[in-house]
Amino acid sequence: MTIAVQLLVLILVVLSTLLVIGIPVTLASPGQWEQSRNLIYTSAGIWAGLVIITGLVNSFIV
């Protein structure tokens, strides 16, 4: 179970890093917001779900 939490945290860190770099670049690029809006919203939703799932899985570790 500990390995599962560590894997979830690793995925969360990688996704967070990608979002921290990708969102400002997308917003700063002219015309990119309209093309990438759905991808950014989907990624943010996956990130929020991953935070909740990681918390739930972590609550089962004694």
Side-chain angles (χ1 to χ4, degrees), residues 9-61:
V9 170
L10 175 66
I11 295 169
L12 185 62
V13 167
V14 170
L15 184 59
S16 296
T17 304
L18 291 174
L19 288 174
V20 163
I21 294 169
I23 290 175
V25 169
T26 302
L27 291 175
S29 302
Q32 288 295 318
W33 172 247
E34 290 80 16
Q35 296 174 356
S36 303
R37 182 178 8 189
N38 290 334
L39 179 62
I40 290 174
Y41 286 152
T42 303
S43 299
I46 291 171
W47 183 87
L50 202 56
V51 168
I52 293 169
I53 290 170
T54 303
L56 288 173
V57 172
N58 192 32
S59 68
F60 292 116
I61 295 178

